[in-house]
Amino acid sequence: MNEDAFWQLIEDCRPTEPDPEAELLAPAVTERLAQSPLSLVKGFAEQLSWALYRLDRKVRIQPVR
């Protein structure tokens, strides 16, 4: 799974109503992945890991205010 496919899956599972804590998004993504081939699940996990790594690096690089 490439990064575009990762974000498209997230977008496809996004609820129509506000979901600030992802309480609806997380189960929708889980359900979609549960019905997908293992290779897609692994690709999603790799992309999620990479996205979290980049987010963590971004937070650490910003100066403390």
Side-chain angles (χ1 to χ4, degrees):
M1 172 180 285
N2 65 27
E3 185 176 4
D4 290 336
F6 170 82
W7 289 114
Q8 186 61 56
L9 190 147
I10 297 291
E11 188 61 34
D12 291 347
C13 294
R14 188 179 308 278
T16 55
E17 64 267 15
D19 187 26
E21 300 296 322
E23 293 174 352
L24 301 173
L25 176 62
V29 170
T30 300
E31 181 62 30
R32 174 75 67 89
L33 291 172
Q35 297 174 14
S36 299
L38 182 58
S39 61
L40 188 100
V41 176
K42 291 169 85 175
F44 181 87
E46 289 170 3
Q47 288 296 326
L48 178 59
S49 177
W50 181 238
L52 292 172
Y53 171 78
R54 289 190 320 253
L55 180 62
D56 184 52
R57 297 281 301 163
K58 185 176 181 180
V59 170
R60 289 182 187 201
I61 292 172
Q62 291 178 356
V64 177
R65 298 174 192 199

